Amino acid sequence: MEGEGGEGMIVSGWNNGSPDNRTGAGYGIRLSKEDRDRYFRREWSSVEVELENGEVVEVRLSNSFWRGCVELRSSKIGRWMLEKGYAPWSKGNPPKFKLTPVGERKFKLRNID
């Protein structure tokens, strides 16, 4: 939502190339390495992402998250994107979202399209 704090990052929808449009598996959000380094801590094993519907999703941060696979992957985020019509998307045109830090290890995810 507009006006919800200036802090935050623009992220985009992500899929693994063969996502499951029934379960939401294979979906997530991708952020930049700069935003990862600015807003995430290496000592965190997971973060919480609050969706627009108020659901809070715990997302594990894998070792590969720090090596270059800068996605937060979650079937719950995938199901939310499917339910809202954000997914699936046409090739090369993923939806954009705002991911805003709201506390220690906690973020809010909002649509900006």
Side-chain angles (χ1 to χ4, degrees):
M1 285 180 212
E2 290 301 321
E4 216 178 286
E7 282 286 304
M9 57 206 109
I10 303 302
V11 299
S12 60
W14 170 88
N15 72 49
N16 64 3
S18 58
D20 187 317
N21 290 327
R22 185 177 53 80
T23 66
Y27 280 107
I29 54 173
R30 172 177 285 147
L31 44 137
S32 71
K33 290 178 182 172
E34 293 78 17
D35 284 337
R36 176 201 63 193
D37 293 344
R38 181 178 305 139
Y39 295 105
F40 291 77
R41 303 284 167 260
R42 286 186 179 267
E43 58 269 20
W44 296 349
S45 59
S46 66
V47 294
E48 291 181 346
V49 176
E50 181 185 322
L51 306 178
E52 285 174 321
N53 62 8
E55 181 181 4
V56 176
V57 178
E58 184 156 358
V59 181
R60 192 175 71 80
L61 299 180
S62 65
N63 288 333
S64 62
F65 179 76
W66 296 106
R67 287 196 303 268
C69 299
V70 287
E71 301 94 20
L72 299 179
R73 305 172 186 186
S74 166
S75 61
K76 289 182 180 177
I77 292 174
R79 278 196 302 277
W80 170 75
M81 286 197 285
L82 290 162
E83 287 167 10
K84 296 293 241 173
Y86 304 142
W89 54 83
S90 56
K91 188 168 176 58
N93 192 30
K96 299 276 193 262
F97 304 99
K98 184 171 185 180
L99 188 65
T100 306
V102 293
E104 180 76 7
R105 294 179 41 250
K106 189 164 185 175
F107 298 85
K108 276 189 178 181
L109 185 64
R110 299 292 179 262
N111 179 44
I112 57 171
D113 282 343

